[in-house]
Amino acid sequence: MLEVMVKDAVFRDTELIKIQILNILVNLPNHSILDKDIIKQTGVSQFRLQNLIEELDTEINQHIVDPDVSFKYENNYLTTQNLTCSHIKIIRLEYIVNSNSFKIMRYNQFENNRYKLHDFLEDNGIGQPNYYHLRKELEPLLERKTVFAMVPTYIDNFEYVKRRKLASLFYSYYTDVRDPFPEVSETVTEFINLIASKMPFDLSHANTAKLRICISVQLMRIKNKNFLKNYSVPMTLKTEELANEFSLIYKQFAQDDDVDALTEAVFLLSICYSQIVVKDPAKYGQFVEFDSYIQKKNHSLYTFLDKLLEINASDHGFSPAEIDQKIGYILRLNEWLLIFDLGFINGVPDSVYQSLVAKYPQRSLVSYQYVDKLITTFDLDLEEQSLNYLKYNYLIGFMEIIPDDSVDKNVNIALDYANSFAYADYVKMLLRRYPSIHIDDCLSDHTDIYMTDVYSDFVKIPQVVWPNLPDKKELIAFEKIVQNTQFNKIKLAD
C-alpha cells in the first residue's frame, strides 16, 4: 500500500511504464522479448513503445556514467544489453527527485523553517495552487499513525514517528544509490565510523545504506529545527565515553542550544538496537542496556510460545534448552519488527506471501496464531500491508523452528481433464511446484479438491475449473483454496 501511494504521489504515468519496461527486460534470461508481448503487458501501442525506448536510451546515457547499455529493436524483438537492476534504481530515483511532489515533500519536511515558501516556489517554478494540491496528495504518506494503540511515549513520540516514516520513504527511494542529502554526508560518515569503531557491529552493505538514510533524516530534521521533545527511551549507554562522543557530534552539527544532544544520541542507538544489536544482544551487553516496553510484554508471550512450540515442534527432538533458545529468537524478532522496522517497509507482495503460505501451511498457521497473540498483547492497530509483513517474517522465523516438511498436511487433488491430455499434463507440471500437493487421476473419498475444465454438479467438494491456461489471479485464488484446505486439515488433526 505504501509503495502504491508513493507511485501515485511522485511518478507520472509515462515514467511508471518506462520502469515497467526496464523491469520486464532485466528479468528475462536473454533480455529480449517480442514487441507484441511487451505491448500486451504494458498496454501501449507499438509507436509509443518505440518512443519510450528512445527516451530511455537518452535518459540512461544522461544519468549513468559509462552505462554501456543499449536497446535494439528489430525483427519484432526488443532487446537490451548490459542492463542491470542498479541502472533501473538510478533511473527510478531520477524520476523521483525531479518530480514536483518530491520537491514539495522535501521542502515541507526538511527546509520550511529556514527557506521561505515564496522563494521555494519561485526557485522551482511551482505555482501556489499546484503546491497546495500536491501537498494535499502527499498527506497520507506521512500520516502520523503508529501501529500501537496504547504505548509509552518513546514509541508514540510525534517526532520519532515522523522520522521513522521519512526514513522509510527515503530508503525506498534512495536505497544504496546515493546519499539523499549531500550537505550532511560528512557528518553521517562520522557517525558511521564512530559506531563501527566503538561497538562490535559487523555493518554489511545493506545495514550501512539503511543506517545512512536514518542518520541523514535525523540530521536534516535537526537542521530544520524539528527536535525530539519529551523522548525518553529506557536505554542505558553503559560506556559514558561513547555517549559523550555522540553528543559532541550533535552539538557541533546543530550549533543550537535547543537540541538535546544526549536524547538524539539515544534515538540513534535505538535504531542501531532494532536493526543490529537485537540479532545477538549478549554481544553488546557491555555497551547498551535496553529495558523496553516490548521486552516487558515479551515475558507474557514466553508462556504462549512455549506451549505453541511444544505442540508444533515436539516431534523434532529439540531439548528444553534448544526450545528456550528458539523462543528467544522469536522474541528478538519482536524487538526488530516492532521497535522500528514495522514502519520501515514497502510490504511483501501478496502473491509472494500467498505462495509461501500454500507451500508451508503448518508454519503459516503457527505464524497466524502468534501474530494474533501479538495484536492482543500489544493492542496493535495494523493495516493489511503491515499485518502481512508481520505474518511473512514470523513465518520465515518459524521455518527454522519447525523445519520438517512432514508437518504440512498433503492436499489431495484429483485432475479430470477429459478434453485434452496435453492440458492435463501441463496442469500437473504447474502443481508440482507445491510440495504439499498430492495428485490423483481420479476422484476418491480422500480427494480434497477437484480440478477440471468443466464444472460438475455431482461433485460436492471444492472445484477449481480451468478451461484455459490459468492467469495470475486464478493461480492466486487456487493457492488460497489450497491454503484453506490445509488449515482445515491441520486443525482437525490437532
Side-chain angles (χ1 to χ4, degrees), residues 284-295:
Y284 306 96
Q286 60 180 307
F287 295 96
V288 62
E289 186 175 50
F290 193 53
D291 183 22
S292 76
Y293 167 77
I294 291 173
Q295 283 178 328

Side-chain angles (χ1 to χ4, degrees), residues 31 89 164 166 225 339 359 391 450 454:
H31 308 304
K89 286 196 291 186
R164 188 177 70 179
L166 285 168
K225 298 185 180 297
I339 292 177
K359 291 178 182 178
K391 289 177 180 177
Y450 179 68
V454 180

Side-chain angles (χ1 to χ4, degrees), residues 352-362 364 368 395 479 483 486-487:
V352 173
Y353 174 63
Q354 294 299 337
S355 178
L356 201 62
V357 168
K359 291 178 182 178
Y360 305 107
Q362 178 77 6
S364 301
Y368 270 45
L395 171 55
E479 288 173 352
Q483 171 194 328
Q486 288 167 318
F487 279 8

Side-chain angles (χ1 to χ4, degrees), residues 35 38 60 80 126 171 188 219 285 309-310 341 350 368 461:
D35 56 2
I38 200 164
I60 286 177
T80 184
I126 301 173
Y171 185 69
V188 172
L219 293 177
L309 293 184
E310 182 182 350
D341 226 65
D350 188 62
Y368 270 45
I461 60 175

